[in-house]
Amino acid sequence: MANTAARSAEVEKKIDEILSKMTIEEKVGQMQQLAANMDAAKLDEYRKMGTIGSFLHVLGNDTQKYIEPAEKSRLGIKPIFGIDAIHGHALLKGATVFPSQLAAACTFDEQLVEKMGEVTAKEVAADGLDWVFSPVLCMGRDLRWGRIDETFGEDTEVVARLGAAIIKGYQKDGLVAACAKHYIAYGEATGGRDAYDSQVTERRVREVLLKPFKAAADAEVMSVMTAYGSIDGKPFTTSRKWLTDILKEELGFNGLIVTDWDNYKALVHGQRVCEDLCEACKDGILAGNDMCMYTDVFYNAAIEAVKNGEIPMSAIDDSVRRILRMKARLGLLDGMPARKLPPRSVIGCAEHVAVNYEVAKESAVLLKNNGVLPLGDVKSVAVIGPNADDVGAQYGDWTYYSHPNPNPQATPKDEVYTLLKGVREVFGDARVTYAKGCVIEDGDCGADSDKAMDEAVACAKAADVAVVVIGDRLKYNGEGKDVAQPILRGRQIELLKRVKAVNDKVVAVLVNGKPLVLSEAEGYCDAIVETFNGGDMCGLAAARLIKGEENFGGKLPISFPCGVGSGPDYYNQYDYWHGGRYADVKHENPYPFGFGLSYSRFEYSAPVLSAGKAKRDGAVRVSVTVKNASDVDGKETVQLYFRDRVCKMLTPVRKLLDFKKVFIGAGESKTVTFDVAVADLGYYDENCVYTVDAGAFDFYVSGDGINFGHAELIVE
Ligand code: NOJ
C-alpha cells in the first residue's frame, strides 16, 4: 500500500513536471487518437509530428515508425497503441482467437475468463501494443442488436463479475490497459438499432447497467469508452452528468475516457447538437471526454477552442493528466519503470492453446439431449451444415473477417478447429463424411442449392448420426449488423427437417453470434449444442463433448427468444398481471438464462439460511447441498437469486445475487454456501436513492434457471 502511494505520488510529480512544459498543441495532441486506416497522407503528417497521443489498429510490425518521431519530439512522449483485441488478439496472424465474450460468459468461470484476459494481454504486449478496447460491459438484452456476441449476456451480476475478472487478467503486471465500454446503455438502443437513442431511465441505468462499470472502476480499469448513443435525448459524448458526475466522481473512476469512433463528428453531423467542431470539442471536453477517437479535425478545433477561451486550460490539463497517468502505469513515460514485455514466441504458444481449449470446452452449452448424446464410438458420422467448416462464422466479429481494413498480417491461424476438423480428429477421418447442405442467406438460392441439399440428405442417410452445424454468419451478426429477426436463415430449418427424415440421430450444433428462435428447429433435433462464436478450438472441444470424452458444464448467460418479436425475453423482468403473453407465440422459454444440461445429474437439497431474520446492516449465509447422482464427474453452476417480496417500486421477478461453479465427482455431494450482505438486497427508489426494505425476501437456488429451491428471510 505504502509503495503504491509512493509510486502514485512520484507519477503525479512527473506528470506535473511534464504538464508545466507542454504547449497547447502538445496537450491537445495527447488527446487525439488516430486510426491506421484514415487518409494515408494525413496520417503520415500527424505521425511525423510525433506529438499525437495514441493510434489504433496499428499492428506490431508498424509501431516503430510511429514511435520514432515521438521519441525525437521535444518532450519525447511515446504514443499508446490501442487495438480491438476483444476475444484474443484476433487481428494478428497466429494469435490465439478465443471464444467471443458471449461464449466465454457461458463458462460462468471468473478464473478462466481472467486467464483469457491474461493470455490476450501477453500476446498484445508481445506484439508491441498497449491497450485493448475490451471488455464490453453492455447488456445483451435486445436480440436484434448486432453486438450481442460481444456482451457477457443479459445479467448485471454476471457482466460485472466477468468484466472485472477479464480486466484483472488484462492489467495483470500492468501489461496492457483495459477499456470498459461502451458507457452507457448502448445495448438498449431503440429497436436494437446500433447507436440509436436509448430509451431507458436513470433509475433503470442504476438498477441494471451501472454496476458493471462500478466493478470495472473498482478493478482499477485504466480506461472507459463512451457509447455512441444518447439517453433521453442527451448524447453521452456531451453529458457531464454521466461522464464526470457519475463515472468519474460517483464511481471513482480515475482512468481516462476515450470516445468511440468519430463521436465528435457525430455531434455535428449525426446527432445535430453542435453547430461546428469547435462547439463539439468544447461540449465534449467539458463533459469529461479525455481522448478523441478517429475524428482528426478534433486536433485543430480543440486548439482553437482553447485559444478562444472557450475551454479552460484546467479541463485540458485534467484530461492530459489522465492520459499521461495511463502511459506512466504502462511504463511508457521516460523515467517510469518499464513493463517486462513477453517475447513474441508467446503468440499462439501451446500454453495459450491449452487455455483456449479450456474456455471453448467450458463455454459449450447442452440445450437438449433426448439420450442420443454422448455418441460414444459410433461407426459413421455425417457432418452437415453451412457452419460446419466456416472459420469466419465460427470466429464471429472483430477478427480478420470483419476488420474494416484487413492488414496482410491480420489473417487467421492456419490451424483452426472447425466442427468438421474436430469431428474428423475425434471420430477418425475414415468414419466422417461431409456435405454443406445450404448457405445462410435470405431468399432463394436457386438450383445449386437443391443439389447441395440433396447431397447433404444422402450423406445423412448413409451415416449412423448426423451432426448438423447451423447458425448465423457475419452478414447477420456484429457491429452494424442488427437484424429484425433473430432466426435460422435460408434453408437451414428445411435442411434439419430433411436430415431428420432420413436419420433418427440428429445432433444440431449452433455456431452463431446470438440466441436464435429455435421453436420449429428443435423438433427435428435429438440434441442441441450451443457454441456461439467459439474461436480456434471450438470444433475440437465440441467434438470431444458430443463423443463423451468431456462433460458439458456451460450455462446460458442469456435467454433464448420465445419467438420472432417476442423479446425482450431476459429473465429478470418485472411482474405482470395481464398474462404477460402474446396470443400467437407460446411465451414459455425452454432455454432461459442459467440453463444448461450435463451428462451428470445434479440433485439439489432445499436451501437453508443461517438465520431466518437479519438486520438491514446484517448478513446471512445461504447453504445448499448438491449431489451428483450420476456416474459422470461434472461441473455445476449453482445460482442464487432473490426477490424483495413487497416493495414500493417494481422489482424483478428474481435477480441473480451470486453464483458459484463447482466440480462434483460422480456420486459425491458438495455443500455450496453464499454469504449475503443484506445491504445488497436493495433497489433504487423513484428518486434514484438506493434503499433496502425491511420485510420478507425470497431466496431461490437453481442450477438451470427453471427449477428453484426456496427459502425466506425477514429483514428487520
Ligand atoms: C467502434 C466500436 O464501437 C468500438 O467498440 C471499437 O472499440 C472502436 N470502434 C474502435 O475500433
Side-chain angles (χ1 to χ4, degrees), residues 456-490:
V457 175
C459 178
K461 194 172 175 186
D464 286 346
V465 58
V467 174
V468 188
V469 190
I470 48 178
D472 61 19
R473 66 186 186 95
L474 272 167
K475 183 176 174 187
Y476 303 107
N477 171 37
E479 184 174 358
K481 321 269 180 53
D482 313 318
V483 294
Q485 307 177 75
I487 53 170
L488 286 163
R489 285 167 200 284

Coordinates of all heavy atoms in Angstrom, one line a residue, residues 456-490:
A456 N -26.6 -33.4 -49.1 CA -26.5 -33.5 -47.6 C -27.4 -34.5 -47.1 O -27.1 -35.3 -46.1 CB -26.8 -32.1 -47.0
V457 N -28.6 -34.6 -47.7 CA -29.6 -35.6 -47.2 C -29.0 -37.0 -47.5 O -29.1 -37.9 -46.6 CB -31.0 -35.4 -47.9 CG1 -31.9 -36.5 -47.5 CG2 -31.5 -34.0 -47.5
A458 N -28.4 -37.2 -48.6 CA -27.9 -38.5 -48.9 C -26.7 -38.8 -48.0 O -26.6 -40.0 -47.5 CB -27.3 -38.5 -50.4
C459 N -26.0 -37.9 -47.7 CA -24.8 -38.0 -46.7 C -25.4 -38.4 -45.3 O -24.9 -39.4 -44.7 CB -24.1 -36.7 -46.7 SG -22.7 -36.6 -45.6
A460 N -26.4 -37.8 -44.9 CA -27.0 -38.0 -43.6 C -27.6 -39.4 -43.6 O -27.5 -40.2 -42.6 CB -28.1 -37.0 -43.3
K461 N -28.2 -39.8 -44.7 CA -28.9 -41.1 -44.8 C -27.9 -42.3 -44.6 O -28.2 -43.3 -44.0 CB -29.6 -41.2 -46.1 CG -30.6 -42.4 -46.2 CD -31.4 -42.3 -47.5 CE -32.3 -43.5 -47.5 NZ -33.0 -43.6 -48.8
A462 N -26.7 -42.1 -45.1 CA -25.7 -43.1 -45.1 C -24.9 -43.3 -43.8 O -24.1 -44.2 -43.6 CB -24.7 -42.9 -46.3
A463 N -25.2 -42.3 -42.9 CA -24.4 -42.4 -41.6 C -25.2 -42.8 -40.4 O -26.4 -42.7 -40.5 CB -23.8 -41.0 -41.4
D464 N -24.5 -43.2 -39.4 CA -25.2 -43.5 -38.1 C -25.8 -42.3 -37.4 O -26.8 -42.4 -36.7 CB -24.2 -44.2 -37.1 CG -23.9 -45.6 -37.6 OD1 -24.6 -46.1 -38.5 OD2 -22.9 -46.2 -37.1
V465 N -25.1 -41.2 -37.5 CA -25.6 -40.0 -36.9 C -25.2 -38.8 -37.7 O -24.2 -38.8 -38.5 CB -24.9 -39.9 -35.4 CG1 -23.4 -39.8 -35.5 CG2 -25.4 -38.6 -34.7
A466 N -26.1 -37.8 -37.7 CA -25.9 -36.6 -38.4 C -25.6 -35.4 -37.4 O -26.4 -35.2 -36.5 CB -27.1 -36.2 -39.3
V467 N -24.5 -34.8 -37.6 CA -24.1 -33.6 -36.8 C -24.3 -32.4 -37.7 O -23.6 -32.2 -38.7 CB -22.7 -33.7 -36.3 CG1 -22.3 -32.4 -35.6 CG2 -22.5 -34.9 -35.4
V468 N -25.4 -31.6 -37.4 CA -25.8 -30.6 -38.3 C -25.4 -29.2 -37.7 O -25.9 -28.8 -36.7 CB -27.3 -30.6 -38.6 CG1 -27.6 -29.6 -39.7 CG2 -27.7 -32.0 -39.0
V469 N -24.4 -28.5 -38.4 CA -23.9 -27.3 -37.8 C -24.5 -26.1 -38.5 O -24.2 -25.8 -39.6 CB -22.3 -27.3 -37.9 CG1 -21.7 -26.2 -37.1 CG2 -21.7 -28.6 -37.5
I470 N -25.3 -25.4 -37.7 CA -26.1 -24.3 -38.3 C -25.9 -23.1 -37.4 O -25.3 -23.1 -36.4 CB -27.6 -24.7 -38.3 CG1 -28.0 -25.3 -36.9 CG2 -27.9 -25.7 -39.4 CD1 -29.5 -25.7 -36.8
G471 N -26.6 -22.0 -37.8 CA -26.5 -20.7 -37.0 C -26.6 -19.5 -37.8 O -27.5 -19.4 -38.7
D472 N -25.6 -18.6 -37.7 CA -25.7 -17.4 -38.5 C -24.3 -17.1 -39.0 O -23.4 -17.9 -38.8 CB -26.2 -16.2 -37.7 CG -25.4 -15.8 -36.5 OD1 -24.2 -16.2 -36.4 OD2 -25.9 -15.1 -35.6
R473 N -24.1 -16.0 -39.7 CA -22.8 -15.6 -40.1 C -22.6 -14.1 -40.1 O -23.6 -13.4 -39.7 CB -22.5 -16.2 -41.6 CG -23.4 -15.5 -42.6 CD -23.2 -16.3 -44.0 NE -23.8 -15.7 -45.1 CZ -23.3 -14.8 -45.9 NH1 -22.0 -14.4 -45.7 NH2 -24.0 -14.3 -46.9
L474 N -21.4 -13.7 -40.4 CA -21.1 -12.3 -40.1 C -22.0 -11.2 -40.8 O -22.1 -10.1 -40.3 CB -19.6 -12.0 -40.5 CG -18.7 -12.3 -39.3 CD1 -17.2 -12.4 -39.8 CD2 -18.8 -11.3 -38.2
K475 N -22.6 -11.6 -41.9 CA -23.5 -10.7 -42.5 C -24.7 -10.3 -41.6 O -25.3 -9.2 -41.7 CB -24.0 -11.3 -43.8 CG -24.9 -10.4 -44.6 CD -25.3 -11.1 -45.9 CE -26.3 -10.3 -46.7 NZ -26.8 -11.0 -47.9
Y476 N -25.0 -11.2 -40.7 CA -26.2 -11.0 -39.8 C -25.8 -10.9 -38.3 O -26.6 -11.1 -37.4 CB -27.1 -12.2 -40.0 CG -27.6 -12.4 -41.4 CD1 -27.1 -13.4 -42.2 CD2 -28.5 -11.5 -42.0 CE1 -27.5 -13.6 -43.5 CE2 -28.9 -11.6 -43.3 CZ -28.4 -12.7 -44.1 OH -28.8 -12.9 -45.3
N477 N -24.5 -10.6 -38.1 CA -24.0 -10.6 -36.7 C -22.8 -9.8 -36.6 O -21.9 -9.9 -37.4 CB -23.7 -12.1 -36.4 CG -23.0 -12.3 -35.1 OD1 -23.3 -11.6 -34.1 ND2 -22.0 -13.2 -35.1
G478 N -22.8 -8.8 -35.6 CA -21.6 -8.0 -35.5 C -22.0 -6.5 -35.5 O -23.1 -6.2 -35.8
E479 N -21.0 -5.6 -35.4 CA -21.3 -4.2 -35.4 C -21.9 -3.8 -36.7 O -21.4 -4.1 -37.8 CB -20.1 -3.4 -35.1 CG -20.4 -1.9 -35.0 CD -19.3 -1.0 -34.5 OE1 -18.2 -1.5 -34.2 OE2 -19.5 0.2 -34.5
G480 N -23.0 -3.0 -36.6 CA -23.6 -2.6 -37.9 C -24.4 -3.7 -38.5 O -24.9 -3.5 -39.7
K481 N -24.6 -4.8 -37.9 CA -25.4 -5.9 -38.5 C -26.6 -6.3 -37.6 O -26.8 -7.5 -37.3 CB -24.5 -7.2 -38.6 CG -23.0 -6.9 -39.0 CD -22.9 -6.9 -40.5 CE -21.4 -6.7 -40.9 NZ -20.5 -7.5 -40.2
D482 N -27.3 -5.3 -37.3 CA -28.5 -5.6 -36.5 C -29.5 -6.3 -37.4 O -29.5 -6.1 -38.6 CB -29.2 -4.3 -36.0 CG -28.1 -3.3 -35.4 OD1 -27.3 -3.8 -34.7 OD2 -28.1 -2.1 -35.7
V483 N -30.3 -7.2 -36.8 CA -31.3 -7.9 -37.6 C -32.7 -7.7 -36.9 O -32.8 -7.6 -35.7 CB -31.1 -9.4 -37.7 CG1 -29.8 -9.7 -38.5 CG2 -31.0 -10.1 -36.3
A484 N -33.7 -7.6 -37.8 CA -35.1 -7.5 -37.2 C -35.5 -8.9 -36.7 O -36.4 -9.0 -35.9 CB -36.0 -7.0 -38.3
Q485 N -35.0 -9.9 -37.3 CA -35.4 -11.3 -37.0 C -34.2 -12.2 -36.6 O -33.5 -12.6 -37.4 CB -36.1 -11.9 -38.2 CG -37.2 -11.1 -38.7 CD -37.8 -11.8 -40.0 OE1 -38.5 -12.7 -39.8 NE2 -37.5 -11.3 -41.1
P486 N -34.1 -12.5 -35.3 CA -33.0 -13.4 -34.9 C -33.5 -14.9 -35.2 O -33.9 -15.6 -34.3 CB -32.9 -13.2 -33.4 CG -34.2 -12.6 -33.0 CD -34.9 -12.0 -34.2
I487 N -33.3 -15.3 -36.4 CA -33.8 -16.6 -36.8 C -32.7 -17.5 -37.5 O -31.6 -16.9 -37.9 CB -35.0 -16.5 -37.8 CG1 -34.6 -15.6 -39.0 CG2 -36.2 -16.0 -37.1 CD1 -35.6 -15.6 -40.1
L488 N -33.0 -18.7 -37.7 CA -32.1 -19.6 -38.6 C -32.5 -19.3 -40.0 O -33.6 -19.6 -40.5 CB -32.4 -21.0 -38.3 CG -31.8 -21.5 -36.9 CD1 -32.4 -22.8 -36.5 CD2 -30.3 -21.7 -37.0
R489 N -31.6 -18.6 -40.7 CA -32.0 -18.1 -42.1 C -31.8 -19.1 -43.2 O -31.2 -20.1 -43.0 CB -31.1 -16.9 -42.4 CG -31.5 -15.7 -41.7 CD -30.5 -14.6 -41.7 NE -30.8 -13.7 -40.6 CZ -31.8 -12.9 -40.6 NH1 -32.6 -12.7 -41.6 NH2 -32.1 -12.2 -39.5
G490 N -32.3 -18.7 -44.3 CA -32.2 -19.5 -45.5 C -32.9 -20.8 -45.4 O -34.0 -20.9 -44.8

